[in-house]
Amino acid sequence: MASSLLEAVDIKAPVAVSWALWEDVERWPVFLSHVKHVKSIDAKTFAWQVSLPGADKSFVAELTEVIPGERIAWRTTEGVHHAGVVTFHRLSDTESRVTLQIEYDPQGFVEHLGALTNLDSTLANYDLGEFQRMAERQAATP
């Protein structure tokens, strides 16, 4: 049974700041608490190491769409099955909204429990909050 999550955060930073921080996939572990390591295989493919409650996972994902300043989409090609997209929305000259949508296939008891109890959404909200703080600090830096 597939699961999905959709989370968003409003950021007191222009889209350009949010985009600049998110476009470097290898930087994602800085603000995604469950992502331990991302290593580039080539320009569109990355090896991931994640640590989720009760499970450490490795997988390979490829970028399926990159529209600068607007969206980054990916899907796995090996390992854990999931796909996602991050979109960037201009709210004003100084504010933006970042939306994260992920479709995934929970495996095993712990992952099913995480999906059923909304732990996955809680983790996504936490990570988006970390990203928000990072982007707002970056926007405030002259």
Side-chain angles (χ1 to χ4, degrees):
M1 176 168 121
S3 293
S4 63
L5 64 87
L6 176 63
E7 302 294 336
V9 65
D10 291 350
I11 301 171
K12 291 180 177 122
V15 165
V17 170
S18 296
W19 172 263
L21 292 173
W22 204 293
E23 76 173 321
D24 180 0
V25 174
E26 291 184 357
R27 194 174 194 178
W28 291 7
V30 173
F31 54 86
L32 298 178
S33 62
H34 61 284
V35 178
K36 298 305 170 199
H37 185 73
V38 180
K39 183 177 181 194
S40 175
I41 295 172
D42 60 39
K44 293 183 95 174
T45 311
F46 299 85
W48 290 67
Q49 187 86 33
V50 297
S51 182
L52 300 168
D56 288 340
K57 304 273 182 173
S58 297
F59 59 89
V60 175
E62 70 175 354
L63 297 176
T64 57
E65 182 179 31
V66 177
I67 301 173
E70 293 182 25
R71 64 190 286 123
I72 299 172
W74 68 91
R75 70 175 178 85
T76 56
T77 58
E78 295 176 26
V80 179
H81 175 72
H82 82 267
V85 62
V86 179
T87 55
F88 303 83
H89 310 272
R90 180 187 183 278
L91 300 178
S92 73
D93 288 345
T94 59
E95 294 185 56
S96 58
R97 176 173 294 143
V98 174
T99 302
L100 172 66
Q101 183 175 357
I102 298 178
E103 304 289 328
Y104 60 104
D105 187 14
Q107 300 294 313
F109 176 75
V110 171
E111 290 181 28
H112 282 286
L113 185 62
L116 288 171
T117 62
N118 290 324
L119 177 59
D120 298 336
S121 289
T122 301
L123 287 172
N125 269 317
Y126 174 82
D127 289 345
L128 286 175
E130 289 297 303
F131 179 78
Q132 175 188 29
R133 285 183 279 287
M134 190 171 141
E136 288 176 355
R137 277 193 309 269
Q138 183 75 24
T141 303

